Amino acid sequence: MTTRDDCLALDAGDPLADLRQLFALPDGVIYLDGNSLGARPRAAVERAAEVVAAEWGEGLIRSWNSADWRGLPERLGDKLAPLIGARAGEVVITDTTSINLFKVLSAALRIQEEDAPGRKVIVSESSNFPTDLYIAEGLTDMLQRGYRLRLVDDPEQLPAAIDADTAVVMLSHVNYKTGYLHDMREVTRLVHENGALAIWDLAHSAGALPLDLHAADADYAIGCTYKYLNGGPGSPAYVWVAPRLRERVWQPLSGWFGHSRQFAMEPRYQPGEGITRFLCGTQPITSLALVECGLDIFARTDMQRLRDKSLALADLFIELVESRCERFGLTLVTPREHARRGSHVSFEHAQGYAIVQALIDRGVIGDYREPGILRFGFTPLYTRFVEVWDAVQALLEILQSEAWKEPRYQVRHKVT
Amino acid sequence: MTTRDDCLALDAGDPLADLRQLFALPDGVIYLDGNSLGARPRAAVERAAEVVAAEWGEGLIRSWNSADWRGLPERLGDKLAPLIGARAGEVVITDTTSINLFKVLSAALRIQEEDAPGRKVIVSESSNFPTDLYIAEGLTDMLQRGYRLRLVDDPEQLPAAIDADTAVVMLSHVNYKTGYLHDMREVTRLVHENGALAIWDLAHSAGALPLDLHAADADYAIGCTYKYLNGGPGSPAYVWVAPRLRERVWQPLSGWFGHSRQFAMEPRYQPGEGITRFLCGTQPITSLALVECGLDIFARTDMQRLRDKSLALADLFIELVESRCERFGLTLVTPREHARRGSHVSFEHAQGYAIVQALIDRGVIGDYREPGILRFGFTPLYTRFVEVWDAVQALLEILQSEAWKEPRYQVRHKVT
């Protein structure tokens, strides 16, 4: 059985161990929530000061050109592209994941409306991240043209749910709750065989595992930069569209940054080239600029090495929880198979909420998701093997002492 | 005739003069572009460091609660509310002006569709800020239900254009190019008499002049925080809806932050109370938090005093340009009447672009708008009377020397 010393030895032999020093992590904290909000790259404080003091304060309006604020969505998109198997010029970082989903879902439905107007079904999962479902609901309600959502409760039901009525299949690559990882290539093949279009939400996979949108022949992808990409709280999201679809696409959030001649100030909209037509309004520059600090760190390694460490950390966590905490009724929710899981691990427990609060109180930060899910993210850029040991030790002590029964851990407050 | 010494005397007697010290302005610059990007409040550097280093870096995911990131859109909305004649709980700061316009225009059309389905016309001005027109174009194209834009070329044509077919009238309170100021109360009365709904874009009026959305009986308002409100580059925008309409409204960008029980993670959307249903996705916290530094400055004065100084600065500028530069073919585009103008002044000149470049090169920062418009913003929080003198002196020297003929000033590059 693995010991704490074994974990220390794993850290000593970890070729990625040095990357941790690029992050500022608070003392006394084991951070297992990088799947919700990534830790702060050390470079971010200096970059924020540069943007606010120099670019805004000194450069003022001139910085739209001199600091290339205008080019940020595309320039940072180019830095993100290799992490998701996209190419330069194919990605922009802009707006929020919800807004970007609205754009690509609108674009996809418009194409189907032209090519196959009878297709009225949007297929997704009932356990998809809720905002994705809400956006699809808002869009179908708005269009009033007979579109409807068809939600499956289990990934196994997808083949039966995708049929000749299906316009779009909209899935999260990694499920936010269970950690289930879809086979993007296989599912996309199934979608295309049935004449539908595939939208992938990469929120829980970009920066956590190797991705290849081109190899998977995906149609659209969106995602956020504030989780595994370490862009900062609420940092702008991204959008990718397959080059073969780009010139065809129209999207309704046609703001001035997506215009082909923005400063001609023409009264009629004329979409810009390629992915730039997915830009809309003026972006929050300070938050957007900080995304670069997170992306730059990925250039020092590669996604396969990160994936290997992520799986090793998660395997260790599963092994230790199941062996050391076996008496306490924790049930693994995440698939064991490597090919079927992302970079977080979820256990179910009737007292999940209180246990997570007790862990946070001891400096072990995971998070809780309804119903009864304890969620732990393993971010190989900065998580140590010994932290996995220490986190499980804290969990064990809480379970043994029944510390979770303390009333302060039972009080529900808003969590993210 | 006014002299430079007179201007120095005006500054010496200016009761608002001390507010300038709350801003960081670069040496050697006369900044007359606060109507495009407001100057940096001194407090913003420290606030940015606090958000990035302490709230993100130390607090990590916990800051959604402990630093109340969740509450920022509403809390900052409450600080903005008095500047636009709204009340606490009626405004949220979120997303971009373009996105917020899409929300309220969708909401307004939905109400009309229920109450008066024959109304298919959206009235606006051909000189409205282009992104507003592009958003309306995208929305009507998306709906495919017969909606169309009816654009007037002159505000005088509005009464004839608003009729029994009109669903919505969508106007910028102050025109971005000419500086023309609509009578919000009178126009809204006309809109309502004709059974339509009124959307006001306050981008060029909020923070520049007293506003009273309730007294004007407006229906919807949107605007940005990065101009006169000094929120920082691309800082998030705001949205206000008249309380009498709020519970009725639906908007299609129904993301998880607008849900009544966000963290219940329910698969169906259930809109939150009042204005919170206009929230959508996760906001860019660093940019959003900095909005507070700008808003806090307004608490030290009141909008009427700012308006008085703004008009005095602009009057001085018009007087000096017209008297000192009269031979050089500059034509005032902005209405002279105080009640008909905002806080910027525009002149037309065939060489407008090159003249603006030559001015910027001499540290006098105004901006250029097609076609041929030299635009100068007067931000009473930090602009001095003597700067108006010095700016006109620089303009005079450029015109006298024909410095604008230099090839480097003729080269067009992107401007904002």
Side-chain angles (χ1 to χ4, degrees), chain B residues 255-267:
Chain B
W256 67 322
F257 274 76
H259 196 283
S260 60
R261 293 175 300 279
Q262 179 178 6
F263 286 98
M265 298 290 189
E266 297 163 1

Side-chain angles (χ1 to χ4, degrees), chain A residues 49 129 261 318 322 326 375:
Chain A
F129 192 67
R261 294 175 300 279
I318 293 170
E322 293 193 331
E326 59 182 335
R375 193 172 69 154

Side-chain angles (χ1 to χ4, degrees), chain B residues 186-222:
Chain B
E186 184 56 31
V187 174
T188 303
R189 191 188 56 71
L190 177 72
V191 170
H192 288 171
E193 270 178 11
N194 284 276
L197 291 163
I199 297 175
W200 290 100
D201 181 339
L202 308 178
H204 284 273
S205 51
L209 47 94
L211 278 165
D212 196 334
L213 289 166
H214 278 281
D217 199 27
D219 298 304
Y220 306 92
I222 53 159

Side-chain angles (χ1 to χ4, degrees), chain A residues 65 131 134 141 250 266 414, chain B residues 65 134 141 250 266 414:
Chain A
N65 292 312
T131 203
Y134 303 158
D141 185 8
W250 160 96
E266 296 163 1
K414 289 168 180 166
Chain B
N65 291 313
Y134 303 158
D141 185 8
W250 160 96
E266 297 163 1
K414 288 167 180 167

Side-chain angles (χ1 to χ4, degrees), chain A residues 228-250:
Chain A
Y228 293 103
L229 299 174
N230 307 304
S235 54
Y238 54 90
V239 54
W240 171 87
V241 177
R244 66 188 143 73
L245 295 173
R246 270 187 336 210
E247 298 309 319
R248 269 195 81 183
V249 300
W250 160 96

